[in-house]
Coordinates of all heavy atoms in Angstrom, one line a residue:
R1 N 26.5 -6.4 -4.6 CA 27.7 -6.2 -5.5 C 29.0 -6.6 -4.8 O 29.9 -7.0 -5.5 CB 27.8 -4.7 -5.9 CG 26.6 -4.3 -6.8 CD 26.8 -2.8 -7.2 NE 25.7 -2.3 -8.1 CZ 24.6 -1.7 -7.5 NH1 24.7 -1.2 -6.4 NH2 23.6 -1.3 -8.4
G2 N 29.0 -6.5 -3.5 CA 30.2 -7.0 -2.8 C 30.3 -8.5 -2.7 O 31.3 -9.1 -2.8
W3 N 29.1 -9.1 -2.3 CA 29.0 -10.6 -2.2 C 29.3 -11.3 -3.5 O 29.9 -12.4 -3.5 CB 27.7 -11.0 -1.7 CG 27.4 -10.5 -0.2 CD1 28.3 -10.1 0.7 CD2 26.1 -10.3 0.4 NE1 27.7 -9.7 1.9 CE2 26.3 -9.8 1.7 CE3 24.8 -10.5 0.0 CZ2 25.3 -9.6 2.6 CZ3 23.8 -10.3 0.9 CH2 24.0 -9.8 2.2
F4 N 28.7 -10.7 -4.6 CA 28.8 -11.4 -5.9 C 29.5 -10.4 -6.9 O 28.8 -9.8 -7.7 CB 27.4 -11.8 -6.4 CG 26.7 -12.7 -5.4 CD1 25.8 -12.2 -4.5 CD2 27.0 -14.1 -5.3 CE1 25.1 -13.0 -3.6 CE2 26.3 -14.9 -4.4 CZ 25.4 -14.3 -3.6
E5 N 30.8 -10.4 -6.8 CA 31.5 -9.4 -7.7 C 31.3 -9.7 -9.1 O 31.4 -10.8 -9.6 CB 33.0 -9.6 -7.4 CG 33.8 -8.5 -8.0 CD 35.3 -8.6 -7.7 OE1 35.6 -9.4 -6.8 OE2 36.1 -7.8 -8.3
G6 N 30.9 -8.6 -9.8 CA 30.6 -8.8 -11.2 C 29.2 -9.0 -11.6 O 28.8 -9.0 -12.8
A7 N 28.4 -9.2 -10.5 CA 26.9 -9.3 -10.7 C 26.2 -8.0 -11.1 O 26.6 -7.0 -10.6 CB 26.2 -10.0 -9.5
E8 N 25.2 -8.1 -12.0 CA 24.4 -7.0 -12.2 C 23.3 -6.9 -11.2 O 22.5 -7.9 -11.1 CB 23.8 -7.1 -13.7 CG 22.9 -5.9 -14.1 CD 22.3 -6.1 -15.4 OE1 22.6 -7.1 -16.1 OE2 21.3 -5.3 -15.8
V9 N 23.1 -5.8 -10.6 CA 22.1 -5.7 -9.5 C 21.1 -4.7 -9.9 O 21.3 -3.6 -10.2 CB 22.8 -5.3 -8.1 CG1 21.7 -5.2 -7.0 CG2 23.8 -6.4 -7.7
D10 N 19.8 -5.1 -9.8 CA 18.7 -4.3 -10.2 C 17.7 -4.2 -9.0 O 17.1 -5.1 -8.6 CB 18.0 -4.9 -11.5 CG 16.9 -4.0 -12.0 OD1 16.7 -2.9 -11.4 OD2 16.1 -4.4 -12.8
V11 N 17.5 -2.9 -8.5 CA 16.6 -2.7 -7.4 C 15.4 -1.9 -7.9 O 14.6 -1.3 -7.0 CB 17.3 -2.1 -6.2 CG1 18.3 -3.1 -5.7 CG2 17.9 -0.8 -6.6
S12 N 15.3 -1.7 -9.2 CA 14.2 -0.7 -9.7 C 12.8 -1.2 -9.4 O 11.9 -0.4 -9.3 CB 14.4 -0.5 -11.2 OG 14.2 -1.7 -11.9
A13 N 12.6 -2.5 -9.2 CA 11.2 -3.0 -9.0 C 10.9 -3.1 -7.5 O 9.7 -3.4 -7.1 CB 11.1 -4.4 -9.6
V14 N 11.8 -2.7 -6.6 CA 11.4 -2.7 -5.2 C 10.5 -1.5 -4.9 O 10.8 -0.4 -5.3 CB 12.8 -2.6 -4.3 CG1 12.4 -2.6 -2.9 CG2 13.6 -3.8 -4.7
K15 N 9.5 -1.8 -4.1 CA 8.6 -0.7 -3.6 C 9.2 -0.2 -2.3 O 9.3 -0.9 -1.3 CB 7.3 -1.2 -3.4 CG 6.3 -0.2 -2.9 CD 4.9 -0.8 -2.7 CE 3.9 0.3 -2.1 NZ 2.6 -0.2 -1.9
P16 N 9.6 1.1 -2.3 CA 10.2 1.6 -1.0 C 9.1 1.8 0.1 O 8.0 2.3 -0.3 CB 10.8 2.9 -1.5 CG 10.1 3.4 -2.7 CD 9.7 2.1 -3.4
E17 N 9.4 1.6 1.2 CA 8.5 1.8 2.3 C 9.2 2.8 3.4 O 10.4 2.8 3.5 CB 8.2 0.5 3.1 CG 7.4 -0.5 2.2 CD 7.0 -1.7 3.0 OE1 7.8 -2.1 3.9 OE2 6.0 -2.4 2.7
V18 N 8.4 3.5 4.0 CA 8.9 4.5 5.1 C 9.5 3.5 6.1 O 8.9 2.6 6.6 CB 7.8 5.3 5.6 CG1 8.3 6.2 6.8 CG2 7.2 6.1 4.5
M19 N 10.7 4.0 6.6 CA 11.4 3.2 7.6 C 12.0 4.2 8.7 O 12.5 5.3 8.3 CB 12.6 2.5 7.1 CG 13.3 1.6 7.9 SD 14.6 0.7 7.1 CE 15.1 -0.5 8.3
K20 N 11.8 3.8 9.9 CA 12.2 4.8 11.0 C 13.7 4.8 10.9 O 14.4 3.9 10.7 CB 11.8 4.3 12.3 CG 10.2 4.4 12.6 CD 9.9 3.9 14.0 CE 8.4 4.1 14.3 NZ 8.0 3.7 15.7
A21 N 14.2 6.0 11.2 CA 15.7 6.2 11.2 C 16.3 5.3 12.2 O 17.4 4.7 12.0 CB 15.9 7.7 11.5
A22 N 15.8 5.2 13.4 CA 16.3 4.4 14.5 C 16.5 2.9 14.0 O 17.5 2.2 14.3 CB 15.5 4.5 15.7
D23 N 15.4 2.4 13.3 CA 15.4 1.0 12.8 C 16.5 0.8 11.8 O 17.2 -0.2 11.7 CB 14.1 0.7 12.2 CG 13.0 0.6 13.3 OD1 13.4 0.4 14.5 OD2 11.8 0.6 12.9
A24 N 16.7 1.8 11.0 CA 17.8 1.7 9.9 C 19.1 1.7 10.6 O 20.0 0.9 10.2 CB 17.6 2.9 9.0
L25 N 19.3 2.5 11.6 CA 20.6 2.5 12.3 C 20.8 1.2 13.0 O 22.0 0.6 12.9 CB 20.6 3.6 13.4 CG 21.9 3.8 14.2 CD1 23.0 4.3 13.3 CD2 21.7 4.7 15.3
K26 N 19.8 0.6 13.6 CA 20.0 -0.7 14.3 C 20.3 -1.9 13.2 O 20.8 -2.8 13.6 CB 18.7 -1.0 15.2 CG 18.6 -0.1 16.2 CD 17.2 -0.3 17.0 CE 17.0 0.7 18.2 NZ 15.7 0.5 18.9
A27 N 19.8 -1.6 12.0 CA 19.9 -2.6 11.0 C 21.3 -2.6 10.4 O 21.6 -3.4 9.5 CB 18.8 -2.5 9.9
G28 N 22.1 -1.6 10.8 CA 23.4 -1.5 10.3 C 23.6 -0.6 9.0 O 24.6 -0.6 8.4
V29 N 22.5 0.0 8.6 CA 22.5 0.9 7.5 C 23.3 2.1 7.8 O 23.2 2.7 8.8 CB 21.1 1.3 7.0 CG1 21.1 2.2 5.8 CG2 20.3 0.0 6.7
K30 N 24.2 2.5 6.9 CA 25.1 3.6 7.1 C 24.5 5.0 6.7 O 24.7 6.0 7.3 CB 26.4 3.4 6.4 CG 27.2 2.2 6.8 CD 27.6 2.4 8.2 CE 28.4 1.3 8.8 NZ 28.7 1.4 10.3
T31 N 23.7 5.0 5.6 CA 23.0 6.3 5.1 C 21.5 6.0 5.1 O 21.0 5.1 4.4 CB 23.6 6.7 3.8 OG1 25.0 6.9 3.9 CG2 22.9 7.9 3.3
F32 N 20.7 6.9 5.8 CA 19.3 6.6 5.7 C 18.6 7.9 6.0 O 19.2 9.0 6.4 CB 18.9 5.6 6.9 CG 19.5 6.0 8.2 CD1 18.9 6.9 9.1 CD2 20.7 5.3 8.6 CE1 19.5 7.2 10.3 CE2 21.3 5.6 9.8 CZ 20.7 6.5 10.7
R33 N 17.3 8.0 5.6 CA 16.5 9.1 5.6 C 16.0 9.4 7.1 O 15.7 8.4 7.7 CB 15.4 9.1 4.7 CG 14.4 10.3 4.7 CD 13.1 10.0 3.9 NE 13.4 9.9 2.5 CZ 13.2 11.0 1.7 NH1 12.8 12.1 2.1 NH2 13.5 10.8 0.4
I34 N 15.9 10.6 7.5 CA 15.3 10.9 8.8 C 13.9 11.6 8.4 O 13.8 12.5 7.7 CB 16.1 12.0 9.6 CG1 17.5 11.4 9.8 CG2 15.4 12.3 10.9 CD1 18.4 12.5 10.5
N35 N 12.9 10.9 8.9 CA 11.6 11.3 8.4 C 11.1 12.5 9.3 O 10.4 12.4 10.3 CB 10.6 10.1 8.6 CG 10.9 9.0 7.8 OD1 11.0 9.1 6.5 ND2 11.3 7.9 8.4
V36 N 11.5 13.7 8.8 CA 11.0 15.0 9.5 C 10.3 15.9 8.5 O 10.5 15.8 7.2 CB 12.3 15.7 10.1 CG1 12.8 14.9 11.2 CG2 13.4 15.9 9.0
E37 N 9.6 16.8 9.0 CA 8.9 17.8 8.2 C 9.1 19.1 8.7 O 9.3 19.4 10.0 CB 7.3 17.5 8.1 CG 7.0 16.2 7.5 CD 5.5 16.0 7.4 OE1 4.7 16.9 7.8 OE2 5.1 14.9 7.0
F38 N 9.1 20.1 7.8 CA 9.4 21.5 8.1 C 8.2 22.4 7.6 O 7.5 22.1 6.6 CB 10.7 22.0 7.5 CG 11.9 21.3 8.0 CD1 12.3 20.2 7.4 CD2 12.6 21.7 9.1 CE1 13.5 19.4 7.8 CE2 13.7 21.0 9.6 CZ 14.2 19.9 8.9
D39 N 8.1 23.6 8.2 CA 7.2 24.6 7.6 C 7.7 24.9 6.2 O 8.9 24.8 5.9 CB 7.2 25.8 8.5 CG 6.5 25.6 9.8 OD1 5.7 24.5 9.9 OD2 6.7 26.3 10.8
T40 N 6.9 25.3 5.3 CA 7.2 25.6 3.9 C 8.2 26.7 3.9 O 8.0 27.7 4.5 CB 5.9 26.0 3.2 OG1 4.9 25.0 3.3 CG2 6.3 26.3 1.7
A41 N 9.3 26.3 3.1 CA 10.4 27.3 2.9 C 11.0 27.8 4.2 O 11.7 28.8 4.2 CB 9.9 28.5 2.0

């Protein structure tokens, strides 16, 4: 959206894959999931 102002961007067809938080940080992503698990509730 920033590179092509006014363009319609559709990402609905992308298949999300699990990505390590450290890799996302190194890729320059600002907001990313940390893959952690907790005991129920």
Side-chain angles (χ1 to χ4, degrees):
R1 293 186 182 100
W3 293 340
F4 304 98
E5 186 176 355
E8 178 186 352
V9 176
D10 182 6
V11 295
S12 60
V14 178
K15 180 181 178 181
E17 293 182 333
V18 175
M19 186 177 188
K20 290 183 178 181
D23 291 342
L25 181 69
K26 293 174 183 178
V29 179
K30 296 299 182 183
T31 299
F32 48 86
R33 177 190 291 265
I34 304 174
N35 298 298
V36 292
E37 294 183 6
F38 297 91
D39 292 341
T40 303

